Amino acid sequence: MRGLTVVRRGFWVALLAAACVLAACDAKNISELEEGVSTEADVRERFGAPEAVWDGEDGAQIYEYNRQPAGHVNYMITIGPDGRMSALRQVLTERNFARVLPGMAMEDVRRMLGKPMKITTYDLKQETHYDWRYMEGSNRIDSRVFTAVFDPDLRVVRTMSVSDPELERNR
């Protein structure tokens, strides 16, 4: 059993290291982009192909760049109809979580927060939980998980935020 714990800890250390490298790359890539100046080609050169492309207002497109499950962020980058980047936002924030309200459709939540790190279905409870990992502060111990709970019609029933369970498993 101890060997399994060491392997699990090693896995999470490697995952955390990968997340740190990705975060450093993201910071560099973000610093090289400028709203209103950078083009769609500039965004794709630095971030690659988006996870999803959403239709925005007035012909804009919103590119989703997911950093789940290892990371603590998801980016939404808006490309205006002129082909220039008009916004770059990290969307896993307390402010956005507060906008997830009962009755909201799953697709609307997904569009707002990006792809979750994990989806779990509870057949007996007739619920589906979507989880996103995020940071409440700047230290590793500030890692948290936001959960949106959906009913069988994929409408929000409730939300919650808890300390990241992986922190406890790796102690």
Side-chain angles (χ1 to χ4, degrees), residues 25-159:
C25 290
D26 282 347
K28 180 182 182 309
N29 289 335
I30 290 169
S31 72
E32 294 174 350
L33 296 173
E34 185 177 346
E35 290 181 4
V37 176
S38 299
T39 65
E40 174 187 3
D42 296 330
V43 170
R44 285 180 177 267
E45 180 181 319
R46 284 160 185 81
F47 282 88
E51 173 85 24
V53 177
W54 304 93
D55 290 331
E57 294 181 20
D58 301 324
Q61 290 189 317
I62 302 168
Y63 289 10
E64 175 186 326
Y65 290 95
N66 184 308
R67 299 301 187 242
Q68 302 286 301
H72 292 83
V73 297
N74 279 346
Y75 298 106
M76 296 291 181
I77 300 177
T78 305
I79 306 296
D82 63 353
R84 299 207 179 277
M85 182 183 81
S86 60
L88 188 157
R89 304 287 179 257
Q90 195 292 101
V91 296
L92 299 182
T93 65
E94 294 283 342
R95 184 177 183 161
N96 277 343
F97 299 150
R99 294 174 48 209
V100 178
L101 302 172
M104 192 174 208
M106 178 276 298
E107 185 169 315
D108 294 334
V109 176
R110 170 76 171 70
R111 182 179 175 139
M112 183 189 324
L113 301 178
K115 183 179 176 181
M117 74 163 175
K118 182 172 75 170
I119 300 171
T120 308
T121 301
Y122 297 95
D123 291 329
L124 292 177
K125 293 172 93 175
Q126 296 188 340
E127 293 180 345
T128 302
H129 292 205
Y130 278 45
D131 296 331
W132 290 265
R133 179 174 283 125
Y134 72 102
M135 294 296 282
E136 191 172 59
S138 58
N139 296 318
R140 181 171 110 51
I141 61 169
D142 297 327
S143 181
R144 298 189 56 80
V145 174
F146 173 78
T147 301
V149 179
F150 296 93
D151 65 15
D153 295 325
L154 295 178
R155 296 277 178 187
V156 174
V157 176
R158 66 186 176 282
T159 64

Side-chain angles (χ1 to χ4, degrees), residues 8-9 11-12 15 69 72 117-118 133 140 143-145 162-171:
R8 183 181 296 158
R9 185 171 292 137
F11 169 78
W12 285 106
L15 199 57
H72 292 83
M117 74 163 175
K118 182 172 75 170
R133 179 174 283 125
R140 181 171 110 51
S143 181
R144 298 189 56 80
V145 174
V162 299
S163 182
D164 190 341
E166 290 304 324
L167 293 175
E168 293 301 316
R169 285 189 196 113
N170 293 321
R171 286 187 180 186

